[in-house]
Amino acid sequence: MGMFFLRRLGVMLLTALCLTFIVFSLTNLYPNLEKLAKSQGNNRMTDAEVSSWLNRNGYLQPTVVKYGEWLGVLPGFTFTNDEGEISGRCIENGQPAEEAPRFCGVIQGDWGTSTRFRAEVSDVVSTRLSLTGKLMFFVMLVMVPCALIIGVLAGMKEGSKTDRTLSTASILTTATPEYVSGVLFIAVFASSAVGLKWFKGTAASAMDDANFANFTLPVLTIALYGMGYIARMTRASMTEVMTAQYIRTARLKGVSFKNIVMKHALRNALIAPFTVIMLQFPWLLNGVVIVETLFNYKGFGWALVEAAGNNDIELLLGCSVVAVFVVLITQLISDIGYVFLNPRIRIS
Amino acid sequence: MESLTWGGIILQILIRFTPVWIALIALFAVSISYKRKLGLYGKLFDSTIGMIGFALVMFWVFTGFFGGALDWIVTHDPISVISGMKNKAPGTALPEGAAGYPHYLLGGDNLARDVFSRMVKGSWEVIKIAPFATLFAFMVGITLGLPAGYFGGRLDTLLSFAANLILAFPVILLFYLLVTPEIVATGIPTYMAAVLFIFPVIFLCVLFNSRFHTQPDKRNVYLGITLVVGLWFYLGIAWDADPLGVISVPSNILVVFVSVVFVNSPTVFRIVRGLALDIKTRDYVAAAQTRGEGSWYIMLWEILPNARGPLIVDFCLRIGYTTILLGTLGFFGLGLSPESPDWGSTINEGRKLLSVYLAPAVVPSVALLSLVLGLNLLADGLREESLKD
């Protein structure tokens, strides 16, 4: 178990390094840097001015070197201008060059500065992430119990009318991407044209004060897409358990149907959905980006879109590190959880 | 002209779709009467769910073809503007003196274009890209997944690592990194296309070579045809350098195509690898190994045909997923041109005024929903029917 854990951790680190390097090199391609220079300096720079700006800020070094600096394994870039003033990656405005640390990268805890928000990346990411965390918490609160109940009800009696109805409903929700269900929900529940106006069509006010009116629609939109999938997995696992030998034995002994489901079937049927729920996190991240854009909720997904749209290199890297770790850690938890939950693997 | 009532609108729309209804009825009549001779496709007509799904999918395929390629169903030009029709309700009559069809059946959008025609044209954008992108993703996934599962070892470790790497990317971040104009300017999408699109050619060459290498005459004919046609398409699609000048893909469509294939192929790879791992332990594979068949023959002619059930089901699901991805791209305004009538872009434009004017965003949403739902139902029907025997 320890060995397995260590190996997984190693693969995780390697994946994170590879991914950040890919993001790094794609955002550091010359056309992107040119755009960055023009947005930071001014829009009418000539080509020579652009390249001198890039040179002054250390963007013209080889990508690997820049990546090493960002990571904090290579000393930060410094530039001495004609008057002998030293500026550099690790030197803050007004700070003498001698006092500045030599290394300033992710390893040292310095995530850089966001050019879009003009703030520390770590601050931006942590505020945005906490907002998204709030959203995700409610999504999970709605999605997981509903999905499990639907799946178990459908899988209890395969082929029954309940099963048919619930299965078709879960197919319907998996076929509805967030940008479609979100639009339909806003149209029905929030627009003045239909006149229901139960909820608000924007969640901008939910960032400080989430209430029923402004938070229901975004939560429901994300939850619905994942719900169908988890419900189908639960149903498949439940139908498999319900045909097992020990269930038949219990029936023949005369155990009531309710007790069979509650005491014998349920616990075994919930092993597979656990893995699926953990693996849903990365997909939810996708939904979060769409829903936050649609409902104007300024969380992590919104920051990701803003960073990508404005080629904000360091914020984009920070966001992708977070996203990648979410994906990899949920995979790890699902693997470990699977081993712990499943007695057949645990005991052997 | 009077504006139409809701009953009138529905009636007029049904009439506009006449060619689609005729084609659908003909298809179903022929399929049902010969269903016993048509294998898995015929069995689909035994399952109600599968039939409903198939009908929805074919509805959009015919709509896309008749409306998009032949210009039959559309009532107005999807990008032309008629003044005075901005944000008008469904069924509004055109102002006096305007030529053409007398109504905007599903209203006008905020640039005074016809929502109904844009919806019909948008289906063609999907039908044109989604099935082919999925097919290419399958070719890549199969060509890499079979050897990974069959040989195992280092190759498997390496390929699985690469696949997991791509899967760990948030899809939207990947799209933003690949589809922006700056990246297109560097030519990276073209190189990716060059790598990804060679796989179908490799796949078909290996497929024929492994089967017919004992009959050189036959093999040479098959290989020759594959290479000539395949490389011709390859040059045209990936490099936009078709020597005859017939095939050419606009660069923004190519970028969209490449990124969708790129996102889909790792999942296909994982599925194929899993299936290959399972099937290679079967007796008929051992028998082929004992006969001294080559590895590629076993992979492509023994393992692959026996993995077809799950792959066909996944193919249907994946077209649906690709449709969703294309919509996502449009929703974020990536790739396709802003004038383009594809559903994702239209939803994105319409959502800004959604609280007042419903039609521009709701119509393409419902269209996309019904197509993806159809594909999911079709996959469900196919799964049920293929498990029966």
Side-chain angles (χ1 to χ4, degrees):
Chain A
M1 190 68 203
M3 208 44 225
F4 164 78
F5 190 76
L6 275 181
R7 208 169 55 214
R8 284 306 300 260
L9 223 57
V11 173
M12 235 171 84
L13 275 178
L14 190 64
T15 315
L17 281 178
C18 287
L19 279 180
T20 45
F21 184 71
I22 295 172
V23 176
F24 197 89
S25 26
L26 283 175
T27 44
N28 270 287
L29 289 168
Y30 194 77
N32 277 332
L33 291 177
E34 203 179 325
K35 194 167 127 195
L36 179 78
K38 284 185 176 161
S39 65
Q40 291 301 301
N42 73 60
N43 245 329
R44 274 167 299 201
M45 279 178 160
T46 60
D47 285 354
E49 280 169 339
V50 166
S51 71
S52 104
W53 188 90
L54 290 175
N55 188 30
R56 212 161 52 233
N57 289 288
Y59 285 112
L60 292 183
Q61 306 169 82
T63 309
V64 184
V65 175
K66 278 187 287 183
Y67 182 68
E69 286 170 8
W70 174 78
L71 208 59
V73 294
L74 289 178
F77 169 81
T78 54
F79 179 80
T80 317
N81 65 8
D82 299 337
E83 287 126 41
E85 285 167 15
I86 301 174
S87 61
R89 205 187 124 80
C90 303
I91 306 165
E92 279 166 40
N93 266 348
Q95 193 185 20
E98 301 79 46
E99 285 173 24
R102 233 161 75 73
F103 295 92
C104 55
V106 174
I107 296 176
Q108 284 80 24
D110 187 346
W111 290 78
T113 324
S114 155
T115 52
R116 162 70 178 80
F117 295 99
R118 311 214 176 264
E120 289 283 306
V121 168
S122 44
D123 293 343
V124 176
V125 169
S126 57
T127 36
R128 299 298 161 196
L129 208 54
S130 66
L131 285 172
T132 297
K134 187 162 82 175
L135 182 62
M136 290 295 254
F137 173 74
F138 284 103
V139 168
M140 283 294 170
L141 209 64
V142 174
M143 182 174 79
V144 174
C146 289
L148 292 181
I149 291 171
I150 291 175
V152 168
L153 284 179
M156 259 175 0
K157 279 185 185 157
E158 199 185 356
S160 65
K161 219 169 224 164
T162 339
D163 178 24
R164 289 267 163 208
T165 325
L166 290 177
S167 296
T168 315
S170 34
I171 292 180
L172 183 68
T173 69
T174 42
T176 321
E178 290 90 350
Y179 52 89
V180 168
S181 50
V183 161
L184 294 181
F185 279 146
I186 296 180
V188 175
F189 294 118
S191 106
S192 53
V194 173
L196 283 178
K197 294 186 102 169
W198 290 353
F199 306 113
K200 285 187 189 153
T202 151
S205 54
M207 288 187 289
D208 310 314
D209 166 39
N211 56 32
F212 205 64
N214 57 21
F215 219 39
T216 312
L217 288 186
V219 168
L220 209 61
T221 307
I222 305 181
L224 211 62
Y225 187 52
M227 203 189 291
Y229 188 65
I230 301 179
R232 295 189 71 179
M233 290 296 149
T234 316
R235 176 188 172 272
S237 140
M238 188 72 187
T239 49
E240 200 187 312
V241 170
M242 288 305 279
T243 53
Q245 295 283 338
Y246 62 89
I247 297 291
R248 202 179 61 179
T249 315
R251 291 204 92 158
L252 291 177
K253 274 196 325 197
V255 182
S256 70
F257 187 71
K258 195 179 124 210
N259 271 341
I260 290 179
V261 172
M262 298 302 281
K263 288 192 177 154
H264 297 269
L266 211 51
R267 214 182 295 169
N268 285 306
L270 291 184
I271 297 173
F274 172 77
T275 333
V276 178
I277 292 170
M278 291 320 283
L279 293 178
Q280 275 287 310
F281 267 97
W283 290 108
L284 287 180
L285 202 69
N286 234 339
V288 162
V289 179
I290 295 171
V291 166
E292 285 183 358
T293 314
L294 186 60
F295 288 94
N296 201 17
Y297 183 81
K298 297 190 172 66
F300 180 72
W302 178 80
L304 183 74
V305 170
E306 285 291 307
N310 295 295
N311 200 44
D312 183 344
I313 299 176
E314 288 181 327
L315 181 57
L316 202 53
L317 282 165
C319 286
S320 37
V321 170
V322 172
V324 166
F325 270 93
V326 169
V327 173
L328 297 176
I329 287 173
T330 47
Q331 277 178 5
L332 191 68
I333 295 177
S334 93
D335 281 0
I336 295 172
Y338 191 72
V339 175
F340 271 107
L341 282 176
N342 196 337
R344 268 170 288 189
I345 301 178
R346 190 175 61 215
I347 289 166
S348 72
Chain B
M1 281 298 279
E2 288 286 302
S3 288
L4 290 169
T5 56
W6 278 105
I9 294 172
I10 293 170
L11 188 72
Q12 288 302 320
I13 290 177
L14 289 179
I15 292 172
R16 290 307 299 178
F17 276 116
T18 316
V20 176
W21 304 131
I22 294 171
L24 266 184
I25 290 168
L27 178 74
F28 269 71
V30 171
S31 303
I32 289 176
S33 50
Y34 292 104
K35 71 177 175 186
R36 293 282 159 254
K37 294 176 187 161
L38 290 170
L40 183 62
Y41 170 72
K43 278 195 208 136
L44 191 64
F45 293 89
D46 290 334
S47 129
T48 323
I49 294 260
M51 275 210 305
I52 296 173
F54 187 65
L56 277 172
V57 174
M58 288 320 287
F59 172 80
W60 285 114
V61 171
F62 287 135
T63 306
F65 184 69
F66 292 145
L70 303 178
D71 275 338
W72 281 359
I73 300 165
V74 289
T75 51
H76 296 90
D77 185 56
I79 50 175
S80 73
V81 170
I82 295 178
S83 62
M85 294 305 287
K86 183 175 165 185
N87 289 328
K88 282 287 184 274
T92 310
L94 251 50
E96 288 295 319
Y101 194 79
H103 299 279
Y104 265 12
L105 283 175
L106 290 172
D109 65 6
N110 68 338
L111 289 175
R113 297 170 298 194
D114 182 28
V115 173
F116 174 76
S117 304
R118 286 180 71 77
M119 185 265 288
V120 171
K121 283 283 180 189
S123 68
W124 182 231
E125 299 290 320
V126 173
I127 300 295
K128 234 171 14 182
I129 302 177
F132 294 105
T134 316
L135 192 68
F136 273 64
F138 261 76
M139 294 279 192
V140 177
I142 290 172
T143 319
L144 295 175
L146 281 176
Y150 185 74
F151 294 122
R154 286 256 174 78
L155 180 75
D156 182 25
T157 319
L158 189 77
L159 287 175
S160 296
F161 179 76
N164 288 335
L165 198 68
I166 301 171
L167 287 176
F169 251 113
V171 177
I172 290 170
L173 177 61
L174 203 64
F175 281 160
Y176 261 107
L177 289 177
L178 287 179
V179 189
T180 49
E182 283 81 23
I183 302 269
V184 176
T186 62
I188 289 181
T190 313
Y191 300 129
M192 284 174 66
V195 174
L196 289 174
F197 295 170
I198 197 77
F199 277 102
V201 182
I202 299 179
F203 174 80
L204 288 174
C205 286
V206 177
L207 185 77
F208 290 128
N209 187 44
S210 61
R211 174 82 191 231
F212 298 113
H213 67 101
T214 46
Q215 300 149 271
D217 294 342
K218 216 170 179 181
R219 177 198 54 186
N220 292 345
V221 172
Y222 281 129
L223 272 190
I225 294 174
T226 314
L227 281 175
V228 169
V229 177
L231 290 179
W232 175 40
F233 273 83
Y234 176 71
L235 282 178
I237 295 175
W239 293 104
D240 201 9
D242 178 15
L244 304 178
V246 182
I247 300 163
S248 139
V249 180
S251 71
N252 58 348
I253 300 233
L254 183 75
V255 177
V256 169
F257 201 90
V258 168
S259 42
V260 172
V261 172
F262 188 69
V263 169
N264 268 320
S265 22
T267 328
V268 180
F269 164 83
R270 290 232 294 216
I271 294 168
V272 174
R273 176 182 166 271
L275 287 168
L277 273 177
D278 174 29
I279 294 176
K280 79 171 179 184
T281 58
R282 302 285 167 86
D283 286 343
Y284 50 80
V285 174
Q289 282 164 341
T290 324
R291 286 204 305 273
E293 303 281 8
S295 310
W296 282 102
Y297 177 85
I298 296 175
M299 280 183 243
L300 291 171
W301 293 95
E302 301 280 350
I303 293 179
L304 192 58
N306 286 295
R308 69 181 185 281
L311 286 184
I312 291 173
V313 172
D314 187 68
F315 187 72
C316 291
L317 286 176
R318 202 147 291 284
I319 298 179
Y321 182 61
T322 310
T323 311
I324 293 180
L325 283 183
L326 289 175
T328 313
L329 275 171
F331 183 76
F332 284 105
L334 296 167
L336 300 159
S337 66
E339 289 268 275
S340 147
D342 75 288
W343 293 336
S345 315
T346 325
I347 294 174
N348 185 35
E349 270 169 46
R351 79 186 164 93
K352 286 159 197 155
L353 287 171
L354 187 57
S355 53
V356 200
Y357 307 110
L358 296 184
V362 171
V363 170
S365 298
V366 173
L368 194 143
L369 170 60
S370 63
L371 174 59
V372 180
L373 178 66
L375 285 160
N376 277 275
L377 292 176
L378 176 63
D380 210 53
L382 281 173
R383 180 181 5 231
E384 231 165 69
E385 293 302 319
S386 69
L387 284 180
K388 266 185 189 163
D389 45 34

